[in-house]
Amino acid sequence: MTDINRDIPASLVELAQRALRSGCIDEVFLGFESLGADFPAPIGWIMHLNRVETTLAAQSGISSVGNHLVVTSQIGGEPRAFAGIDRPTMDAEAINAWIDLPRPTDTGEPIADLEDAEMLITAVRNGWSFQRELRRADHMITSRHVPTEMPDRIPLWASYQLHALNNFYNVEDAPSHRSTGAPVSREIFLRRDGVPGSSWVSAVVEGSRISPESAITEISEHAPWYADVAYFDEDTETWAA
C-alpha cells in the first residue's frame, strides 16, 4: 500500500463533533487503540460515549437502549459501534441516531461551541487522547449547594482531560525507552464553569497549575512521543507503523 492517509477518518470526526456539541452525551472519550506495549504506534481510534443519568431510557420510552456506546475505527475503515452483548454492530447512521436520543429536558440547543470541538479534534490529530465530562445539577442532586429544581440539562461545569502516551516506552533502543528515564505519559486537565463559551477556570499539568492558554497551546501541537497511526498491510499481513 502506498500514500496511506494516517489522519483520523472524517466520518469519526463528524461523530465526535456531534457527540460533543449535542449536549445529550455526558462523557465523551476519544483516543487510540493499541496493539501491545512494545508496538511503537496506535492501530486505530476508539471513542466511548456515556450518558450518566440511568433513568434516560425509562423516561424516554426507549428502555432497550443502553447508556454506553463504544465506537472504533481504523485506517481504511468506517466507524462501527458495539452497544452490548447480543446486539448488532452499529454503523455511522445508527450511531448518529443514538447520539441524538434526547435527554428528558432537552431543549435542542448545542452544549459546546464549535471552537471547543475543533480544539479537541485537533488534539487527537496531534496524538492526544481526550475526555470531556459535563457535570449537571442532576448528577449532584444530593449536594446541599445545588437546588433540586435546577434544570438538569444545564452543565454546572465541564472538565477536559488530555493524555499523551509514550508509544516508545517499551521499545528497545528508542530514545524514549523507559531505561532513559522517560515518563510513560503526560496528562493535562482543563476546566471551565458552564458551557458553551464560558471562561476557563483552571489548568493543571502533571500536578502543577499553569495558565489555560499555555495548556491549550500545548495540545494544539504534536504530543510528546507522537506516532502516526499504523495500518494493516494486506500484502505482508502485518501492522505497519
Side-chain angles (χ1 to χ4, degrees):
M1 298 175 69
T2 59
D3 299 325
I4 301 298
N5 181 2
R6 306 290 192 99
D7 197 12
I8 181 173
S11 50
L12 183 58
V13 169
E14 292 173 2
L15 291 172
Q17 289 175 330
R18 195 182 196 98
L20 288 166
R21 301 193 70 210
S22 72
C24 299
I25 310 300
D26 297 283
E27 297 171 355
V28 180
F29 168 86
L30 180 58
F32 303 92
E33 287 191 287
S34 174
L35 186 62
D38 58 352
F39 189 75
I43 61 168
W45 298 265
I46 186 167
M47 181 166 66
H48 291 264
L49 305 176
N50 189 39
R51 291 182 174 91
V52 171
E53 67 281 12
T54 57
T55 58
L56 172 71
Q59 293 177 357
S60 301
I62 48 173
S63 58
S64 63
V65 178
N67 284 332
H68 185 71
L69 199 66
V70 180
V71 183
T72 60
S73 185
Q74 294 178 338
I75 289 174
E78 290 298 313
R80 292 290 184 268
F82 176 74
I85 298 174
D86 298 328
R87 292 186 178 178
T89 301
M90 300 164 63
D91 61 12
E93 182 178 358
I95 298 168
N96 273 323
W98 189 93
I99 291 171
D100 289 344
L101 290 170
R103 292 170 57 87
T105 57
D106 187 23
T107 64
E109 299 174 1
I111 208 67
D113 60 19
L114 183 59
E115 184 176 349
D116 251 21
E118 288 299 326
M119 175 189 74
L120 295 172
I121 295 300
T122 296
V124 173
R125 286 194 169 104
N126 285 323
W128 297 88
S129 299
F130 76 76
Q131 176 162 314
R132 198 281 313 270
E133 179 181 353
L134 301 177
R135 296 298 293 174
R136 312 173 196 262
D138 64 342
H139 300 166
M140 303 179 178
I141 209 66
T142 59
S143 171
R144 68 183 64 182
H145 303 295
V146 180
T148 56
E149 68 272 12
M150 181 178 291
D152 70 355
R153 189 179 187 281
I154 300 175
L156 301 178
W157 49 267
S159 66
Y160 304 72
Q161 178 180 355
L162 294 108
H163 179 265
L165 178 67
N166 183 350
N167 291 292
F168 309 97
Y169 190 74
N170 290 306
V171 178
E172 295 290 343
D173 300 324
S176 297
H177 184 261
R178 62 181 184 276
S179 62
T180 67
V184 68
S185 64
R186 181 171 175 83
E187 288 189 321
I188 296 177
F189 296 89
L190 283 155
R191 174 175 165 172
R192 57 161 107 237
D193 279 340
V195 288
S198 57
S199 299
W200 293 106
V201 174
S202 62
V204 176
V205 176
E206 297 300 319
S208 299
R209 292 178 67 92
I210 64 171
S211 70
E213 293 77 15
S214 296
I216 292 170
T217 296
E218 181 169 352
I219 63 176
S220 68
E221 301 172 348
H222 273 182
W225 323 291
Y226 171 86
D228 285 332
V229 173
Y231 65 93
F232 190 76
D233 190 321
E234 299 288 351
D235 296 330
T236 62
E237 296 186 345
T238 58
W239 288 95

